[in-house]
Amino acid sequence: FTNRFFGRLTNDICVAKIYYDSIVTAGQQAQGRVDALITNEGTAALSNITVTLSVSGANTHTETQNITSLAAGASTPVSFPAF
């Protein structure tokens, strides 16, 4: 068994957290909003980052948001419209 550790990558973007907000009375159905926290784990600033939400199942949905720029080590929230 060998452990290998690498330095930080130049381009390394991740979804740090996902939030889903849908509070309704039992038996009711309401639209929910999805938010995501996007983090640049890399060593360089990134620009024109496309973030896509894809929901599969009986009611499919796809939505895309764009992040203009994100500095190295920075995070930004992305909100998708309720569906």
Side-chain angles (χ1 to χ4, degrees), residues 2 8 10 12 16-17 21 25-26 31 34 36 38-39 52-53 56 63 65-66 70-74 78-80:
T2 302
R8 290 176 57 193
T10 303
D12 189 10
K17 294 183 181 185
D21 181 25
T25 306
Q31 295 180 338
V34 176
I38 308 300
T39 301
T52 303
L53 169 70
S56 61
E63 186 73 39
Q65 298 291 333
N66 188 54
L70 190 58
V78 174
S79 296
F80 296 94

Side-chain angles (χ1 to χ4, degrees), residues 7-49:
R8 290 176 57 193
L9 300 173
T10 303
N11 299 319
D12 189 10
I13 197 90
C14 75
V15 177
K17 294 183 181 185
I18 298 175
Y19 307 95
Y20 177 71
D21 181 25
S22 178
I23 299 173
V24 296
T25 306
Q28 300 295 317
Q29 184 175 4
Q31 295 180 338
R33 191 181 85 213
V34 176
D35 297 318
L37 182 65
I38 308 300
T39 301
N40 182 354
E41 296 285 347
T43 59
L46 298 174
S47 60
N48 296 320
I49 303 162

